[in-house]
Amino acid sequence: MKPEKALIFELSQPGRVAYSLPECDVPDIEPASVIPQSMLRETPASLPEVYEVDVIRHYTELSRRNFGIDNGFYPLGSCTMKYNPKINEDVARLPGFAKIHPYQPEESIQGALELLYTLQNDLAALSGMDQVTLQPAAGAHGEWSGLMLIRAYHESRGEKRTKVIVPDSSHGTNPASATVAGYETVTIPSNARGLVDLDQLRAAVGSDTAALMLTNPNTLGLFEQQIEEIAQIIHDAGGLLYYDGANSNAIMGITRPGDMGFDVVHLNLHKTMSTPHGGGGPGAGPVGVKSRLIPFLPKPVVGRREDGTYYWDTDRPDSIGRVKAYYGNFGILVRAYTYIRTYGPEGLRQVSENAVLNANYMLKRLAPHFEVPYPGVCKHEFVLSGKRLKEYGVRTLDVAKRLLDFGYHPPTVYFPLNVEECIMIEPTETESKETLDAFIDTMIQIAREAESDPQLVLNAPYTTIVKRLDEATAARKPVLNCSC
Ligand SMILES: *Cc1c(COP(=O)(O)O)cnc(C)c1O
């Protein structure tokens, strides 16, 4: 057996330092002369005193316990975990982008403004919208911003509409954003094929409908073929169509929400456009609108003068105002711009074609081993149901835990809510056939283990630092304030 390394928890020793700084050339100031008495510290902060090597080892060790797209396959449905090309990082680190300041005068940041202006236009062209704001910092933030635009639009016409309709397969952020934007959500059940049920939709729509929030392909990975009729129903009632474009991986260069009849769309650059995702890092959820909503866009947007110079367009009297400090997560926008330029229109179309191909390949190979609630061709992702394994006492959660032993991040589980024991897989276009096959073989192996040795699956994972957690106790006796 491998000997256990003795764990030393307390690395701090008085007097050890991990830095050397030049002598301070600022004259000593008595803290009490500049800091209010009530804010003065009475005892020195107890910071760890360690050597540089201790700090490096500590953080390197922690980083090795993490999982990311750079160390393994991450087939998380609905959240597009695709490879983040390193050229994006190189460009974002160019001093002309990395070292500018939001308060700099316009003349000194013309290149950055040109980049933002071009990105606004690229995203508008990709989504079929007329104008885009880059301010929102995440998908959910984009949804809320888009709904505030919808509210401003209806109010400008003297209409008070109170309801937002969402299908039962919708992403949880949709009803949440609608609620935060002050709307009542109305959930409509999907039909037997996993699509919007037009009769249910007709029954739910009325003069109080502000919008329908939808994604197409939907969260089951299925394309809403009746989208034009859906748009007609909503528009006839005076409502607007909101497109949740968090994952546009299936449609780039093939079809556009604007052409399907949508009025407002948000895009997640940290999904589709390959910018880093997860770990709480910054994201970007730009929002595009059709022309009748342009006056309400958050300000400023980037404008271009006739002489070719760029400027912050703040003269927008009907704007809903700012939705974020400064101008959005600029470094992320640079990465997304780089991604779009690297691929170009043809390349982006190929990205989508390969994403759809990969998903269908996996679906075909996995179908005999799991249940497929909505058979047929999928788009960039698909759902399976693990309910067949329940007869052996194994649930989807157990399959997900067992995958950890093989070095995979599990797919999304138990979402969408309308599929029992749901497993939602999105391979993305950036994975090789060998990676897809290895993952598929592992899934098949786990399904066999569930039949022949369910306990093996129920006790997983075995190879991770944290083993199976006691979920019942965690739910019944949660420790929410850990001072350990
Ligand atoms: C990820 C996602 C969102 C939310 O995006 P965040 O950036 O996590 O706020 C919304 N809708 C769908 C379909 C998503 O997959």
Side-chain angles (χ1 to χ4, degrees):
M1 232 178 87
K2 199 170 132 211
E4 291 275 330
K5 192 165 94 182
L7 281 177
I8 307 169
F9 283 105
E10 187 48 73
L11 297 177
S12 183
Q13 290 292 332
R16 287 188 180 163
V17 285
Y19 60 88
S20 63
L21 295 176
E23 202 142 317
C24 181
D25 58 359
V26 179
D28 262 356
I29 301 174
E30 183 54 42
S33 71
V34 284
I35 300 173
Q37 188 62 39
S38 63
M39 290 181 166
L40 276 179
R41 205 187 277 287
E42 279 162 12
T43 49
S46 79
L47 298 174
E49 296 175 78
V50 288
Y51 292 140
E52 181 173 322
V53 67
D54 299 323
V55 177
I56 294 297
R57 285 189 186 145
H58 175 69
Y59 285 107
T60 305
E61 179 57 31
L62 289 184
S63 78
R64 284 166 45 180
R65 294 184 187 186
N66 211 340
F67 189 92
I69 196 71
D70 284 351
N71 53 349
F73 185 37
Y74 206 138
L76 200 63
S78 183
C79 278
T80 314
M81 301 301 285
K82 63 167 75 174
Y83 176 63
N84 306 155
K86 298 309 165 225
I87 187 175
N88 296 355
E89 301 302 318
D90 287 349
V91 176
R93 281 165 177 71
L94 291 176
F97 292 134
K99 300 223 163 125
I100 54 177
H101 192 279
Y103 286 143
Q104 260 177 255
E106 270 165 25
E107 317 80 79
S108 69
I109 50 163
Q110 284 294 305
L113 289 176
E114 181 180 352
L115 180 142
L116 296 177
Y117 182 82
T118 314
L119 183 61
Q120 284 175 188
N121 289 346
D122 286 351
L123 297 177
L126 257 174
S127 58
M129 294 287 150
D130 296 318
Q131 172 75 286
V132 164
T133 169
L134 301 171
Q135 279 187 31
H141 192 194
E143 289 169 29
W144 175 81
S145 306
L147 288 165
M148 296 309 277
L149 296 173
I150 288 173
R151 169 181 292 279
Y153 168 79
H154 289 311
E155 279 175 4
S156 76
R157 294 156 50 95
E159 290 185 2
K160 190 157 171 39
R161 291 171 174 260
T162 52
K163 290 187 179 148
V164 168
I165 303 173
V166 298
D168 59 358
S169 64
S170 76
H171 194 270
T173 51
N174 292 185
S177 300
T179 305
V180 176
Y183 285 110
E184 189 187 323
T185 44
V186 179
T187 306
I188 51 167
S190 307
N191 66 20
R193 293 168 58 214
L195 304 172
V196 170
D197 187 321
L198 292 199
D199 292 334
Q200 295 278 356
L201 181 63
R202 281 196 197 94
V205 165
S207 57
D208 54 359
T209 302
L212 168 72
M213 296 181 87
L214 197 65
T215 178
N216 195 19
N218 66 21
T219 34
L220 298 164
L222 305 172
F223 196 80
E224 300 280 357
Q225 288 152 7
Q226 291 177 299
I227 185 60
E228 285 171 336
E229 281 163 272
I230 293 171
Q232 188 77 43
I233 293 170
I234 297 296
H235 286 151
D236 283 351
L240 295 177
L241 246 78
Y242 184 96
Y243 188 89
D244 179 343
N247 318 288
S248 302
N249 232 23
I251 61 164
M252 285 188 293
I254 298 168
T255 183
R256 311 188 302 172
D259 302 335
M260 299 180 208
F262 285 91
D263 305 287
V264 184
V265 47
H266 85 265
L267 302 164
N268 276 24
L269 303 188
H270 48 290
K271 292 181 185 168
T272 315
M273 299 305 168
S274 83
T275 72
H277 181 178
V287 171
V289 295
K290 286 282 178 62
S291 55
R292 53 186 166 154
L293 289 126
I294 290 179
F296 312 108
L297 280 177
K299 62 181 178 182
V301 290
V302 184
R304 185 171 187 268
R305 297 190 190 88
E306 280 189 359
D307 67 0
T309 55
Y310 299 90
Y311 67 103
W312 296 118
D313 179 1
T314 49
D315 183 18
R316 307 179 66 84
D318 294 328
S319 166
I320 61 166
R322 271 182 194 279
V323 298
K324 170 145 187 357
Y326 304 114
Y327 312 109
N329 282 324
F330 180 68
I332 293 302
L333 302 173
V334 175
R335 288 169 176 83
Y337 171 91
T338 307
Y339 181 74
I340 292 172
R341 293 290 120 176
T342 307
Y343 278 94
E346 291 302 316
L348 290 178
R349 185 187 170 105
Q350 209 182 337
V351 162
S352 286
E353 288 173 352
N354 288 344
V356 172
L357 181 65
N358 283 359
N360 278 285
Y361 175 72
M362 290 185 86
L363 174 58
K364 259 267 163 336
R365 279 206 58 203
L366 285 169
H369 307 274
F370 293 83
E371 279 185 40
V372 183
Y374 301 105
V377 175
C378 66
K379 291 290 172 279
H380 61 300
E381 62 192 359
F382 58 93
V383 293
L384 301 172
S385 167
K387 77 175 178 214
R388 189 179 67 82
L389 303 180
K390 271 181 28 183
E391 90 178 74
Y392 309 103
V394 171
R395 301 186 56 211
T396 287
L397 180 76
D398 307 310
V399 174
K401 297 282 184 199
R402 182 69 175 133
L403 276 169
L404 298 173
D405 285 331
F406 297 89
Y408 295 113
H409 192 289
T412 299
V413 292
Y414 300 105
F415 174 78
L417 304 176
N418 53 339
V419 173
E420 191 187 343
E421 295 296 321
C422 190
I423 307 175
M424 185 187 203
I425 298 178
E426 180 179 358
T428 83
E429 74 287 357
T430 58
E431 302 297 331
S432 67
K433 179 165 178 298
E434 291 74 22
T435 300
L436 303 185
D437 280 330
F439 178 80
I440 293 164
D441 292 342
T442 306
M443 286 286 285
I444 296 171
Q445 179 183 331
I446 295 171
R448 294 209 175 108
E449 286 173 357
E451 292 163 24
S452 60
D453 187 3
Q455 206 55 45
L456 177 68
V457 183
L458 293 174
N459 290 342
Y462 303 91
T463 62
T464 51
I465 288 180
V466 177
K467 305 285 182 294
R468 178 71 72 117
L469 299 172
D470 180 345
E471 290 186 31
T473 308
R476 292 201 185 115
K477 296 185 190 160
V479 181
L480 302 177
N481 181 359
C482 178
S483 55
C484 45

